[in-house]
Structures are given as C-alpha cells and as structure tokens.
mmCIF file of all heavy atoms in Angstrom:
data_model
loop_
_atom_site.group_PDB
_atom_site.id
_atom_site.type_symbol
_atom_site.label_atom_id
_atom_site.label_comp_id
_atom_site.label_asym_id
_atom_site.label_seq_id
_atom_site.Cartn_x
_atom_site.Cartn_y
_atom_site.Cartn_z
ATOM 1 N N MET A 764 0.839 -1.167 0.000
ATOM 2 C CA MET A 764 0.000 0.000 0.000
ATOM 3 C C MET A 764 0.891 1.239 0.000
ATOM 4 O O MET A 764 1.772 1.378 0.820
ATOM 5 C CB MET A 764 -0.884 -0.014 1.250
ATOM 6 C CG MET A 764 -1.610 1.272 1.385
ATOM 7 S SD MET A 764 -2.731 1.597 2.761
ATOM 8 C CE MET A 764 -2.718 0.303 3.863
ATOM 9 N N GLU A 765 0.652 2.127 -0.942
ATOM 10 C CA GLU A 765 1.428 3.353 -1.019
ATOM 11 C C GLU A 765 0.555 4.530 -0.621
ATOM 12 O O GLU A 765 -0.597 4.635 -1.013
ATOM 13 C CB GLU A 765 1.972 3.539 -2.429
ATOM 14 C CG GLU A 765 3.005 2.499 -2.782
ATOM 15 C CD GLU A 765 3.734 2.828 -4.055
ATOM 16 O OE1 GLU A 765 3.853 4.025 -4.378
ATOM 17 O OE2 GLU A 765 4.170 1.884 -4.714
ATOM 18 N N CYS A 766 1.149 5.427 0.169
ATOM 19 C CA CYS A 766 0.379 6.562 0.665
ATOM 20 C C CYS A 766 0.591 7.815 -0.176
ATOM 21 O O CYS A 766 -0.134 8.782 -0.032
ATOM 22 C CB CYS A 766 0.729 6.835 2.129
ATOM 23 S SG CYS A 766 2.439 7.293 2.364
ATOM 24 N N GLY A 767 1.604 7.834 -1.041
ATOM 25 C CA GLY A 767 1.833 8.974 -1.899
ATOM 26 C C GLY A 767 2.629 10.100 -1.280
ATOM 27 O O GLY A 767 2.833 11.126 -1.909
ATOM 28 N N HIS A 768 3.098 9.921 -0.060
ATOM 29 C CA HIS A 768 3.867 10.969 0.611
ATOM 30 C C HIS A 768 5.348 10.922 0.267
ATOM 31 O O HIS A 768 6.067 11.873 0.529
ATOM 32 C CB HIS A 768 3.736 10.856 2.139
ATOM 33 C CG HIS A 768 2.357 11.095 2.631
ATOM 34 N ND1 HIS A 768 1.768 12.335 2.624
ATOM 35 C CD2 HIS A 768 1.442 10.250 3.137
ATOM 36 C CE1 HIS A 768 0.553 12.249 3.114
ATOM 37 N NE2 HIS A 768 0.323 10.988 3.433
ATOM 38 N N TYR A 769 5.794 9.841 -0.299
ATOM 39 C CA TYR A 769 7.220 9.644 -0.516
ATOM 40 C C TYR A 769 7.547 9.625 -1.994
ATOM 41 O O TYR A 769 6.786 9.118 -2.813
ATOM 42 C CB TYR A 769 7.694 8.346 0.131
ATOM 43 C CG TYR A 769 7.438 8.314 1.615
ATOM 44 C CD1 TYR A 769 6.446 7.524 2.148
ATOM 45 C CD2 TYR A 769 8.185 9.105 2.467
ATOM 46 C CE1 TYR A 769 6.208 7.506 3.524
ATOM 47 C CE2 TYR A 769 7.954 9.106 3.831
ATOM 48 C CZ TYR A 769 6.965 8.308 4.346
ATOM 49 O OH TYR A 769 6.730 8.303 5.694
ATOM 50 N N GLY A 770 8.732 10.140 -2.315
ATOM 51 C CA GLY A 770 9.197 10.132 -3.698
ATOM 52 C C GLY A 770 9.972 8.870 -4.012
ATOM 53 O O GLY A 770 10.150 7.985 -3.162
ATOM 54 N N ASP A 771 10.470 8.819 -5.238
ATOM 55 C CA ASP A 771 11.202 7.636 -5.691
ATOM 56 C C ASP A 771 12.444 7.365 -4.851
ATOM 57 O O ASP A 771 12.776 6.214 -4.596
ATOM 58 C CB ASP A 771 11.592 7.794 -7.155
ATOM 59 C CG ASP A 771 10.386 7.730 -8.085
ATOM 60 O OD1 ASP A 771 9.332 7.207 -7.670
ATOM 61 O OD2 ASP A 771 10.512 8.197 -9.231
ATOM 62 N N ASP A 772 13.149 8.431 -4.426
ATOM 63 C CA ASP A 772 14.345 8.236 -3.600
ATOM 64 C C ASP A 772 14.010 7.571 -2.278
ATOM 65 O O ASP A 772 14.719 6.678 -1.817
ATOM 66 C CB ASP A 772 15.053 9.563 -3.327
ATOM 67 C CG ASP A 772 15.743 10.123 -4.555
ATOM 68 O OD1 ASP A 772 15.956 9.363 -5.517
ATOM 69 O OD2 ASP A 772 16.070 11.317 -4.538
ATOM 70 N N HIS A 773 12.925 8.009 -1.667
ATOM 71 C CA HIS A 773 12.502 7.422 -0.390
ATOM 72 C C HIS A 773 12.129 5.953 -0.564
ATOM 73 O O HIS A 773 12.486 5.111 0.258
ATOM 74 C CB HIS A 773 11.296 8.179 0.185
ATOM 75 C CG HIS A 773 11.606 9.568 0.582
ATOM 76 N ND1 HIS A 773 11.273 10.639 -0.210
ATOM 77 C CD2 HIS A 773 12.208 10.072 1.679
ATOM 78 C CE1 HIS A 773 11.657 11.747 0.378
ATOM 79 N NE2 HIS A 773 12.241 11.439 1.532
ATOM 80 N N LEU A 774 11.397 5.682 -1.624
ATOM 81 C CA LEU A 774 10.963 4.303 -1.864
ATOM 82 C C LEU A 774 12.150 3.393 -2.170
ATOM 83 O O LEU A 774 12.193 2.248 -1.711
ATOM 84 C CB LEU A 774 9.942 4.266 -2.995
ATOM 85 C CG LEU A 774 8.651 5.047 -2.722
ATOM 86 C CD1 LEU A 774 7.771 5.076 -3.968
ATOM 87 C CD2 LEU A 774 7.899 4.482 -1.534
ATOM 88 N N ALA A 775 13.132 3.899 -2.912
ATOM 89 C CA ALA A 775 14.331 3.105 -3.207
ATOM 90 C C ALA A 775 15.125 2.836 -1.928
ATOM 91 O O ALA A 775 15.627 1.731 -1.728
ATOM 92 C CB ALA A 775 15.197 3.837 -4.233
ATOM 93 N N PHE A 776 15.226 3.842 -1.066
ATOM 94 C CA PHE A 776 15.927 3.656 0.195
ATOM 95 C C PHE A 776 15.218 2.623 1.063
ATOM 96 O O PHE A 776 15.863 1.753 1.660
ATOM 97 C CB PHE A 776 16.055 4.979 0.952
ATOM 98 C CG PHE A 776 16.788 4.840 2.242
ATOM 99 C CD1 PHE A 776 18.166 4.775 2.258
ATOM 100 C CD2 PHE A 776 16.103 4.735 3.438
ATOM 101 C CE1 PHE A 776 18.859 4.619 3.451
ATOM 102 C CE2 PHE A 776 16.775 4.577 4.636
ATOM 103 C CZ PHE A 776 18.157 4.522 4.642
ATOM 104 N N ALA A 777 13.902 2.700 1.116
ATOM 105 C CA ALA A 777 13.124 1.738 1.903
ATOM 106 C C ALA A 777 13.341 0.322 1.383
ATOM 107 O O ALA A 777 13.495 -0.622 2.168
ATOM 108 C CB ALA A 777 11.639 2.099 1.875
ATOM 109 N N GLU A 778 13.392 0.160 0.076
ATOM 110 C CA GLU A 778 13.616 -1.167 -0.499
ATOM 111 C C GLU A 778 15.027 -1.667 -0.189
ATOM 112 O O GLU A 778 15.230 -2.840 0.112
ATOM 113 C CB GLU A 778 13.383 -1.153 -2.007
ATOM 114 C CG GLU A 778 13.517 -2.513 -2.654
ATOM 115 C CD GLU A 778 12.612 -3.579 -2.034
ATOM 116 O OE1 GLU A 778 11.483 -3.264 -1.632
ATOM 117 O OE2 GLU A 778 13.064 -4.734 -1.934
ATOM 118 N N LEU A 779 16.005 -0.766 -0.230
ATOM 119 C CA LEU A 779 17.374 -1.128 0.130
ATOM 120 C C LEU A 779 17.440 -1.610 1.578
ATOM 121 O O LEU A 779 18.030 -2.649 1.872
ATOM 122 C CB LEU A 779 18.302 0.071 -0.066
ATOM 123 C CG LEU A 779 19.756 -0.122 0.364
ATOM 124 C CD1 LEU A 779 20.447 -1.137 -0.525
ATOM 125 C CD2 LEU A 779 20.479 1.210 0.347
ATOM 126 N N ALA A 780 16.817 -0.861 2.474
ATOM 127 C CA ALA A 780 16.811 -1.230 3.893
ATOM 128 C C ALA A 780 16.088 -2.556 4.110
ATOM 129 O O ALA A 780 16.554 -3.409 4.869
ATOM 130 C CB ALA A 780 16.158 -0.123 4.718
ATOM 131 N N ARG A 781 14.951 -2.740 3.440
ATOM 132 C CA ARG A 781 14.210 -4.000 3.566
ATOM 133 C C ARG A 781 15.036 -5.175 3.070
ATOM 134 O O ARG A 781 15.089 -6.231 3.701
ATOM 135 C CB ARG A 781 12.903 -3.932 2.765
ATOM 136 C CG ARG A 781 11.686 -3.661 3.579
ATOM 137 C CD ARG A 781 10.406 -3.898 2.789
ATOM 138 N NE ARG A 781 10.341 -3.177 1.533
ATOM 139 C CZ ARG A 781 9.973 -1.903 1.419
ATOM 140 N NH1 ARG A 781 9.632 -1.211 2.464
ATOM 141 N NH2 ARG A 781 9.945 -1.332 0.239
ATOM 142 N N GLY A 782 15.678 -5.000 1.924
ATOM 143 C CA GLY A 782 16.504 -6.071 1.365
ATOM 144 C C GLY A 782 17.662 -6.430 2.280
ATOM 145 O O GLY A 782 17.974 -7.603 2.471
ATOM 146 N N PHE A 783 18.302 -5.408 2.835
ATOM 147 C CA PHE A 783 19.404 -5.648 3.767
ATOM 148 C C PHE A 783 18.912 -6.446 4.975
ATOM 149 O O PHE A 783 19.531 -7.440 5.366
ATOM 150 C CB PHE A 783 20.003 -4.316 4.217
ATOM 151 C CG PHE A 783 21.034 -4.460 5.291
ATOM 152 C CD1 PHE A 783 22.295 -4.945 4.996
ATOM 153 C CD2 PHE A 783 20.746 -4.123 6.595
ATOM 154 C CE1 PHE A 783 23.254 -5.087 5.990
ATOM 155 C CE2 PHE A 783 21.691 -4.254 7.600
ATOM 156 C CZ PHE A 783 22.949 -4.740 7.298
ATOM 157 N N ALA A 784 17.811 -6.017 5.548
ATOM 158 C CA ALA A 784 17.271 -6.715 6.722
ATOM 159 C C ALA A 784 16.871 -8.147 6.371
ATOM 160 O O ALA A 784 17.156 -9.081 7.129
ATOM 161 C CB ALA A 784 16.083 -5.948 7.283
ATOM 162 N N ARG A 785 16.250 -8.312 5.230
ATOM 163 C CA ARG A 785 15.771 -9.634 4.821
ATOM 164 C C ARG A 785 16.923 -10.593 4.537
ATOM 165 O O ARG A 785 16.895 -11.757 4.940
ATOM 166 C CB ARG A 785 14.901 -9.484 3.572
ATOM 167 C CG ARG A 785 14.232 -10.754 3.113
ATOM 168 C CD ARG A 785 13.354 -10.552 1.878
ATOM 169 N NE ARG A 785 12.327 -9.547 2.093
ATOM 170 C CZ ARG A 785 12.228 -8.402 1.390
ATOM 171 N NH1 ARG A 785 13.082 -8.130 0.432
ATOM 172 N NH2 ARG A 785 11.268 -7.554 1.645
ATOM 173 N N LYS A 786 17.967 -10.096 3.855
ATOM 174 C CA LYS A 786 19.052 -10.981 3.412
ATOM 175 C C LYS A 786 20.174 -11.137 4.431
ATOM 176 O O LYS A 786 20.774 -12.206 4.528
ATOM 177 C CB LYS A 786 19.642 -10.446 2.109
ATOM 178 C CG LYS A 786 18.686 -10.507 0.954
ATOM 179 C CD LYS A 786 19.287 -9.849 -0.261
ATOM 180 C CE LYS A 786 18.256 -9.748 -1.378
ATOM 181 N NZ LYS A 786 18.727 -8.933 -2.491
ATOM 182 N N GLU A 787 20.488 -10.063 5.158
ATOM 183 C CA GLU A 787 21.689 -10.093 5.986
ATOM 184 C C GLU A 787 21.425 -10.086 7.490
ATOM 185 O O GLU A 787 22.319 -10.423 8.254
ATOM 186 C CB GLU A 787 22.597 -8.921 5.602
ATOM 187 C CG GLU A 787 23.004 -9.005 4.140
ATOM 188 C CD GLU A 787 24.152 -8.113 3.773
ATOM 189 O OE1 GLU A 787 25.065 -7.944 4.596
ATOM 190 O OE2 GLU A 787 24.131 -7.580 2.650
ATOM 191 N N VAL A 788 20.242 -9.700 7.895
ATOM 192 C CA VAL A 788 19.945 -9.644 9.329
ATOM 193 C C VAL A 788 19.017 -10.782 9.749
ATOM 194 O O VAL A 788 19.335 -11.546 10.656
ATOM 195 C CB VAL A 788 19.354 -8.277 9.731
ATOM 196 C CG1 VAL A 788 18.964 -8.263 11.199
ATOM 197 C CG2 VAL A 788 20.339 -7.151 9.420
ATOM 198 N N ALA A 789 17.875 -10.890 9.105
ATOM 199 C CA ALA A 789 16.861 -11.871 9.524
ATOM 200 C C ALA A 789 17.395 -13.301 9.627
ATOM 201 O O ALA A 789 17.143 -13.975 10.631
ATOM 202 C CB ALA A 789 15.646 -11.802 8.610
ATOM 203 N N PRO A 790 18.142 -13.793 8.622
ATOM 204 C CA PRO A 790 18.606 -15.186 8.727
ATOM 205 C C PRO A 790 19.571 -15.420 9.892
ATOM 206 O O PRO A 790 19.675 -16.532 10.403
ATOM 207 C CB PRO A 790 19.328 -15.436 7.400
ATOM 208 C CG PRO A 790 18.851 -14.379 6.472
ATOM 209 C CD PRO A 790 18.502 -13.199 7.334
ATOM 210 N N ARG A 791 20.267 -14.369 10.305
ATOM 211 C CA ARG A 791 21.269 -14.508 11.369
ATOM 212 C C ARG A 791 20.757 -14.024 12.721
ATOM 213 O O ARG A 791 21.476 -14.099 13.727
ATOM 214 C CB ARG A 791 22.521 -13.725 10.967
ATOM 215 C CG ARG A 791 23.145 -14.276 9.697
ATOM 216 C CD ARG A 791 24.219 -13.382 9.118
ATOM 217 N NE ARG A 791 25.279 -13.113 10.060
ATOM 218 C CZ ARG A 791 26.148 -12.121 9.929
ATOM 219 N NH1 ARG A 791 26.089 -11.314 8.902
ATOM 220 N NH2 ARG A 791 27.081 -11.933 10.829
ATOM 221 N N TYR A 792 19.530 -13.552 12.756
ATOM 222 C CA TYR A 792 18.988 -13.003 13.999
ATOM 223 C C TYR A 792 19.075 -13.980 15.175
ATOM 224 O O TYR A 792 19.463 -13.562 16.274
ATOM 225 C CB TYR A 792 17.552 -12.525 13.806
ATOM 226 C CG TYR A 792 16.974 -11.977 15.084
ATOM 227 C CD1 TYR A 792 17.296 -10.692 15.500
ATOM 228 C CD2 TYR A 792 16.155 -12.753 15.891
ATOM 229 C CE1 TYR A 792 16.799 -10.190 16.685
ATOM 230 C CE2 TYR A 792 15.654 -12.254 17.075
ATOM 231 C CZ TYR A 792 15.974 -10.976 17.473
ATOM 232 O OH TYR A 792 15.493 -10.478 18.647
ATOM 233 N N PRO A 793 18.761 -15.254 15.003
ATOM 234 C CA PRO A 793 18.884 -16.173 16.149
ATOM 235 C C PRO A 793 20.301 -16.216 16.725
ATOM 236 O O PRO A 793 20.473 -16.290 17.948
ATOM 237 C CB PRO A 793 18.479 -17.531 15.571
ATOM 238 C CG PRO A 793 17.586 -17.193 14.422
ATOM 239 C CD PRO A 793 18.164 -15.928 13.837
ATOM 240 N N ASP A 794 21.297 -16.117 15.855
ATOM 241 C CA ASP A 794 22.687 -16.100 16.337
ATOM 242 C C ASP A 794 22.977 -14.819 17.116
ATOM 243 O O ASP A 794 23.649 -14.854 18.144
ATOM 244 C CB ASP A 794 23.664 -16.208 15.164
ATOM 245 C CG ASP A 794 23.525 -17.515 14.403
ATOM 246 O OD1 ASP A 794 23.135 -18.530 15.024
ATOM 247 O OD2 ASP A 794 23.800 -17.519 13.194
ATOM 248 N N PHE A 795 22.484 -13.689 16.613
ATOM 249 C CA PHE A 795 22.680 -12.411 17.300
ATOM 250 C C PHE A 795 22.019 -12.450 18.669
ATOM 251 O O PHE A 795 22.586 -12.004 19.669
ATOM 252 C CB PHE A 795 22.088 -11.245 16.511
ATOM 253 C CG PHE A 795 22.591 -11.086 15.106
ATOM 254 C CD1 PHE A 795 21.851 -10.371 14.184
ATOM 255 C CD2 PHE A 795 23.795 -11.633 14.691
ATOM 256 C CE1 PHE A 795 22.294 -10.195 12.890
ATOM 257 C CE2 PHE A 795 24.253 -11.466 13.385
ATOM 258 C CZ PHE A 795 23.493 -10.741 12.491
ATOM 259 N N GLU A 796 20.818 -12.996 18.707
ATOM 260 C CA GLU A 796 20.062 -13.077 19.962
ATOM 261 C C GLU A 796 20.796 -13.961 20.966
ATOM 262 O O GLU A 796 20.928 -13.610 22.135
ATOM 263 C CB GLU A 796 18.659 -13.617 19.677
ATOM 264 C CG GLU A 796 17.747 -13.651 20.857
ATOM 265 C CD GLU A 796 17.266 -12.285 21.296
ATOM 266 O OE1 GLU A 796 17.416 -11.303 20.553
ATOM 267 O OE2 GLU A 796 16.726 -12.207 22.416
ATOM 268 N N ALA A 797 21.278 -15.105 20.500
ATOM 269 C CA ALA A 797 21.985 -16.033 21.395
ATOM 270 C C ALA A 797 23.279 -15.423 21.927
ATOM 271 O O ALA A 797 23.630 -15.610 23.092
ATOM 272 C CB ALA A 797 22.283 -17.344 20.663
ATOM 273 N N ALA A 798 23.984 -14.691 21.067
ATOM 274 C CA ALA A 798 25.253 -14.082 21.464
ATOM 275 C C ALA A 798 25.045 -12.804 22.277
ATOM 276 O O ALA A 798 25.948 -12.358 22.977
ATOM 277 C CB ALA A 798 26.094 -13.772 20.228
ATOM 278 N N GLY A 799 23.870 -12.217 22.150
ATOM 279 C CA GLY A 799 23.593 -10.965 22.853
ATOM 280 C C GLY A 799 24.258 -9.762 22.212
ATOM 281 O O GLY A 799 24.372 -8.706 22.836
ATOM 282 N N ILE A 800 24.675 -9.910 20.946
ATOM 283 C CA ILE A 800 25.366 -8.815 20.255
ATOM 284 C C ILE A 800 25.240 -9.010 18.742
ATOM 285 O O ILE A 800 25.165 -10.132 18.258
ATOM 286 C CB ILE A 800 26.853 -8.753 20.669
ATOM 287 C CG1 ILE A 800 27.494 -7.462 20.190
ATOM 288 C CG2 ILE A 800 27.610 -9.972 20.192
ATOM 289 C CD1 ILE A 800 28.862 -7.200 20.809
ATOM 290 N N VAL A 801 25.199 -7.893 18.050
ATOM 291 C CA VAL A 801 25.228 -7.928 16.587
ATOM 292 C C VAL A 801 26.668 -7.652 16.172
ATOM 293 O O VAL A 801 27.258 -6.661 16.617
ATOM 294 C CB VAL A 801 24.284 -6.856 15.993
ATOM 295 C CG1 VAL A 801 24.369 -6.843 14.479
ATOM 296 C CG2 VAL A 801 22.848 -7.099 16.446
ATOM 297 N N PRO A 802 27.261 -8.509 15.354
ATOM 298 C CA PRO A 802 28.657 -8.323 14.970
ATOM 299 C C PRO A 802 28.907 -6.998 14.244
ATOM 300 O O PRO A 802 28.052 -6.502 13.516
ATOM 301 C CB PRO A 802 28.939 -9.490 14.025
ATOM 302 C CG PRO A 802 27.880 -10.492 14.302
ATOM 303 C CD PRO A 802 26.687 -9.721 14.776
ATOM 304 N N ARG A 803 30.089 -6.484 14.441
ATOM 305 C CA ARG A 803 30.497 -5.228 13.796
ATOM 306 C C ARG A 803 30.370 -5.329 12.276
ATOM 307 O O ARG A 803 30.075 -4.341 11.601
ATOM 308 C CB ARG A 803 31.934 -4.903 14.184
ATOM 309 C CG ARG A 803 32.421 -3.582 13.667
ATOM 310 C CD ARG A 803 33.836 -3.286 14.126
ATOM 311 N NE ARG A 803 33.942 -3.219 15.563
ATOM 312 C CZ ARG A 803 33.874 -2.094 16.276
ATOM 313 N NH1 ARG A 803 33.704 -0.956 15.674
ATOM 314 N NH2 ARG A 803 33.993 -2.127 17.581
ATOM 315 N N SER A 804 30.574 -6.504 11.725
ATOM 316 C CA SER A 804 30.499 -6.678 10.270
ATOM 317 C C SER A 804 29.125 -6.318 9.718
ATOM 318 O O SER A 804 29.013 -5.845 8.584
ATOM 319 C CB SER A 804 30.866 -8.109 9.890
ATOM 320 O OG SER A 804 29.949 -9.035 10.461
ATOM 321 N N VAL A 805 28.079 -6.531 10.495
ATOM 322 C CA VAL A 805 26.732 -6.168 10.056
ATOM 323 C C VAL A 805 26.617 -4.647 9.950
ATOM 324 O O VAL A 805 26.078 -4.120 8.970
ATOM 325 C CB VAL A 805 25.661 -6.732 11.022
ATOM 326 C CG1 VAL A 805 24.274 -6.250 10.645
ATOM 327 C CG2 VAL A 805 25.717 -8.252 11.025
ATOM 328 N N PHE A 806 27.152 -3.940 10.925
ATOM 329 C CA PHE A 806 27.128 -2.480 10.879
ATOM 330 C C PHE A 806 28.015 -1.959 9.755
ATOM 331 O O PHE A 806 27.671 -0.982 9.081
ATOM 332 C CB PHE A 806 27.552 -1.892 12.227
ATOM 333 C CG PHE A 806 26.534 -2.133 13.295
ATOM 334 C CD1 PHE A 806 26.688 -3.177 14.184
ATOM 335 C CD2 PHE A 806 25.420 -1.335 13.401
ATOM 336 C CE1 PHE A 806 25.752 -3.414 15.173
ATOM 337 C CE2 PHE A 806 24.463 -1.562 14.378
ATOM 338 C CZ PHE A 806 24.634 -2.604 15.268
ATOM 339 N N ALA A 807 29.155 -2.621 9.538
ATOM 340 C CA ALA A 807 30.046 -2.214 8.449
ATOM 341 C C ALA A 807 29.339 -2.344 7.102
ATOM 342 O O ALA A 807 29.409 -1.443 6.257
ATOM 343 C CB ALA A 807 31.326 -3.044 8.464
ATOM 344 N N ARG A 808 28.639 -3.444 6.907
ATOM 345 C CA ARG A 808 27.902 -3.649 5.648
ATOM 346 C C ARG A 808 26.780 -2.630 5.506
ATOM 347 O O ARG A 808 26.569 -2.083 4.411
ATOM 348 C CB ARG A 808 27.355 -5.073 5.592
ATOM 349 C CG ARG A 808 26.618 -5.375 4.330
ATOM 350 C CD ARG A 808 27.530 -5.360 3.107
ATOM 351 N NE ARG A 808 26.750 -5.644 1.927
ATOM 352 C CZ ARG A 808 26.893 -5.013 0.775
ATOM 353 N NH1 ARG A 808 27.820 -4.097 0.629
ATOM 354 N NH2 ARG A 808 26.142 -5.319 -0.252
ATOM 355 N N ALA A 809 26.075 -2.353 6.583
ATOM 356 C CA ALA A 809 25.013 -1.340 6.533
ATOM 357 C C ALA A 809 25.613 0.013 6.152
ATOM 358 O O ALA A 809 25.027 0.756 5.355
ATOM 359 C CB ALA A 809 24.297 -1.260 7.872
ATOM 360 N N GLY A 810 26.771 0.330 6.679
ATOM 361 C CA GLY A 810 27.442 1.571 6.335
ATOM 362 C C GLY A 810 27.852 1.621 4.870
ATOM 363 O O GLY A 810 27.703 2.651 4.210
ATOM 364 N N GLU A 811 28.352 0.507 4.355
ATOM 365 C CA GLU A 811 28.733 0.439 2.944
ATOM 366 C C GLU A 811 27.544 0.728 2.033
ATOM 367 O O GLU A 811 27.700 1.307 0.961
ATOM 368 C CB GLU A 811 29.292 -0.948 2.615
ATOM 369 C CG GLU A 811 30.637 -1.247 3.221
ATOM 370 C CD GLU A 811 31.021 -2.711 3.091
ATOM 371 O OE1 GLU A 811 30.274 -3.498 2.455
ATOM 372 O OE2 GLU A 811 32.079 -3.084 3.631
ATOM 373 N N LEU A 812 26.381 0.302 2.470
ATOM 374 C CA LEU A 812 25.162 0.497 1.676
ATOM 375 C C LEU A 812 24.542 1.880 1.867
ATOM 376 O O LEU A 812 23.567 2.218 1.200
ATOM 377 C CB LEU A 812 24.132 -0.580 2.039
ATOM 378 C CG LEU A 812 24.515 -2.000 1.668
ATOM 379 C CD1 LEU A 812 23.510 -2.996 2.230
ATOM 380 C CD2 LEU A 812 24.630 -2.147 0.157
ATOM 381 N N GLY A 813 25.099 2.658 2.791
ATOM 382 C CA GLY A 813 24.557 3.999 3.032
ATOM 383 C C GLY A 813 23.393 4.021 3.998
ATOM 384 O O GLY A 813 22.604 4.963 4.000
ATOM 385 N N LEU A 814 23.284 2.981 4.822
ATOM 386 C CA LEU A 814 22.169 2.896 5.765
ATOM 387 C C LEU A 814 22.494 3.515 7.121
ATOM 388 O O LEU A 814 21.626 3.545 7.983
ATOM 389 C CB LEU A 814 21.757 1.423 5.953
ATOM 390 C CG LEU A 814 21.225 0.739 4.692
ATOM 391 C CD1 LEU A 814 21.032 -0.748 4.959
ATOM 392 C CD2 LEU A 814 19.937 1.386 4.244
ATOM 393 N N LEU A 815 23.713 3.994 7.307
ATOM 394 C CA LEU A 815 24.122 4.580 8.591
ATOM 395 C C LEU A 815 24.677 5.986 8.362
ATOM 396 O O LEU A 815 25.040 6.350 7.252
ATOM 397 C CB LEU A 815 25.207 3.724 9.253
ATOM 398 C CG LEU A 815 24.876 2.275 9.527
ATOM 399 C CD1 LEU A 815 26.082 1.570 10.105
ATOM 400 C CD2 LEU A 815 23.700 2.151 10.460
ATOM 401 N N GLY A 816 24.771 6.770 9.426
ATOM 402 C CA GLY A 816 25.447 8.055 9.378
ATOM 403 C C GLY A 816 24.620 9.198 8.827
ATOM 404 O O GLY A 816 25.163 10.117 8.229
ATOM 405 N N PHE A 817 23.316 9.178 9.031
ATOM 406 C CA PHE A 817 22.457 10.226 8.486
ATOM 407 C C PHE A 817 22.760 11.609 9.069
ATOM 408 O O PHE A 817 22.552 12.606 8.406
ATOM 409 C CB PHE A 817 20.978 9.918 8.759
ATOM 410 C CG PHE A 817 20.542 8.641 8.104
ATOM 411 C CD1 PHE A 817 20.265 7.529 8.863
ATOM 412 C CD2 PHE A 817 20.439 8.565 6.732
ATOM 413 C CE1 PHE A 817 19.868 6.350 8.271
ATOM 414 C CE2 PHE A 817 20.043 7.390 6.121
ATOM 415 C CZ PHE A 817 19.758 6.283 6.902
ATOM 416 N N ALA A 818 23.239 11.673 10.285
ATOM 417 C CA ALA A 818 23.491 12.955 10.930
ATOM 418 C C ALA A 818 24.854 13.532 10.571
ATOM 419 O O ALA A 818 25.190 14.636 10.966
ATOM 420 C CB ALA A 818 23.367 12.816 12.455
ATOM 421 N N VAL A 819 25.630 12.803 9.791
ATOM 422 C CA VAL A 819 26.982 13.252 9.439
ATOM 423 C C VAL A 819 26.912 13.929 8.069
ATOM 424 O O VAL A 819 26.500 13.312 7.084
ATOM 425 C CB VAL A 819 27.956 12.058 9.387
ATOM 426 C CG1 VAL A 819 29.328 12.505 8.962
ATOM 427 C CG2 VAL A 819 27.983 11.342 10.726
ATOM 428 N N PRO A 820 27.323 15.197 8.001
ATOM 429 C CA PRO A 820 27.287 15.886 6.693
ATOM 430 C C PRO A 820 28.255 15.237 5.708
ATOM 431 O O PRO A 820 29.289 14.702 6.107
ATOM 432 C CB PRO A 820 27.725 17.295 7.000
ATOM 433 C CG PRO A 820 27.966 17.388 8.466
ATOM 434 C CD PRO A 820 27.799 16.036 9.063
ATOM 435 N N GLN A 821 27.915 15.313 4.433
ATOM 436 C CA GLN A 821 28.819 14.799 3.417
ATOM 437 C C GLN A 821 30.074 15.648 3.393
ATOM 438 O O GLN A 821 30.016 16.862 3.556
ATOM 439 C CB GLN A 821 28.171 14.838 2.044
ATOM 440 C CG GLN A 821 27.219 13.685 1.802
ATOM 441 C CD GLN A 821 26.752 13.674 0.372
ATOM 442 O OE1 GLN A 821 26.361 14.697 -0.161
ATOM 443 N NE2 GLN A 821 26.783 12.504 -0.247
ATOM 444 N N GLY A 822 31.221 15.005 3.186
ATOM 445 C CA GLY A 822 32.502 15.686 3.199
ATOM 446 C C GLY A 822 32.878 16.321 1.958
ATOM 447 O O GLY A 822 32.718 16.824 1.067
#
C-alpha cells in the first residue's frame, strides 16, 4: 500500500533497507540473539550500503 507521501528516492531507500534486513539480518537473527550482540560486520555492511550516518554531513 502506497500513501503517496514519498518520492522515488525514499521508496528506493526503503527497499534497500528492507533487502538488507531480509538478506543479511533476519537469517542470522537467532545467532545475534543467542550471542547478545550484533557483529560489527553487520554495521560495516550497513554503512557500505549507506544505511548509517544520516546525521553526518557529506565531506
């Protein structure tokens, strides 16, 4: 369901975030839960995809 409030950039970002969560987080979630920590590599990959650092101005 689309509400019409978001442009193509927003929708593409949402799909990127969903894909990342679906492919790289969800399958490993039981391991993260058991360990009590999410590995740094997950955050590194999220950063590579541009999913982190929104408050940091571009250089």
Side-chain angles (χ1 to χ4, degrees):
M764 171 181 4
E765 293 191 28
C766 63
H768 295 289
Y769 301 107
D771 290 340
D772 289 343
H773 294 101
L774 298 174
F776 181 79
E778 183 55 36
L779 176 67
R781 259 192 306 278
F783 173 74
R785 185 179 303 118
K786 294 175 187 171
E787 300 195 36
V788 176
R791 298 169 57 197
Y792 179 79
D794 297 331
F795 304 159
E796 184 72 14
I800 192 168
V801 177
R803 185 178 299 265
S804 62
V805 175
F806 291 98
R808 181 66 181 138
E811 290 169 4
L812 294 173
L814 297 172
L815 302 177
F817 298 109
V819 177
Q821 280 188 313

